Amino acid sequence: MGKAGKMPYVLLGFGVAGALLSSKENREKVLGLVGKVKKKAMDLWGSQEESEWLKKAGRPDPYDFEDAKMVEEGAQYSINYYNKKVQQS
């Protein structure tokens, strides 16, 4: 089933959603449900705070030698890969 075969289902979905959300009471119910789902998801997967490793990703502390070495090795890998591809050509 190609794109044209799915279009009637998409339109049907929009129609049903429009009919259900036409009432203010139903919209409030849906917004309440969305809020509950969002809260449960945030409780399950943690807060929106950035973790420590995400804050320093790609920017190693100059005094954290292990992390700086790891970033350097990652950069060196891509350079070596590129050089091998150029030499093969």
Side-chain angles (χ1 to χ4, degrees):
M1 188 182 299
K3 284 187 179 180
K6 295 179 185 177
M7 185 56 76
Y9 297 111
V10 171
L11 293 175
L12 178 65
F14 281 132
V16 170
L20 290 176
L21 297 177
S22 63
S23 159
K24 183 173 182 166
E25 182 182 332
N26 287 345
R27 281 193 303 267
E28 290 173 355
K29 286 180 184 178
V30 169
L31 287 175
L33 179 65
V34 168
K36 287 179 185 177
V37 169
K38 182 179 176 184
K39 184 180 180 322
K40 285 184 180 183
M42 292 308 295
D43 290 343
L44 180 65
W45 289 306
S47 66
Q48 291 181 336
E49 278 184 33
E50 290 183 26
S51 62
E52 184 63 32
W53 66 269
L54 188 57
K55 286 181 183 178
K56 68 179 210 171
R59 299 179 305 250
D61 181 11
Y63 299 107
D64 186 1
F65 298 113
E66 291 297 318
D67 193 34
K69 182 179 177 187
M70 181 179 62
V71 171
E72 178 185 344
E73 288 172 352
Q76 193 61 41
Y77 176 81
S78 60
I79 292 170
N80 289 339
Y81 180 81
Y82 175 78
N83 287 342
K84 286 180 185 176
K85 286 291 183 184
V86 168
Q87 288 173 358
Q88 287 177 358
S89 299

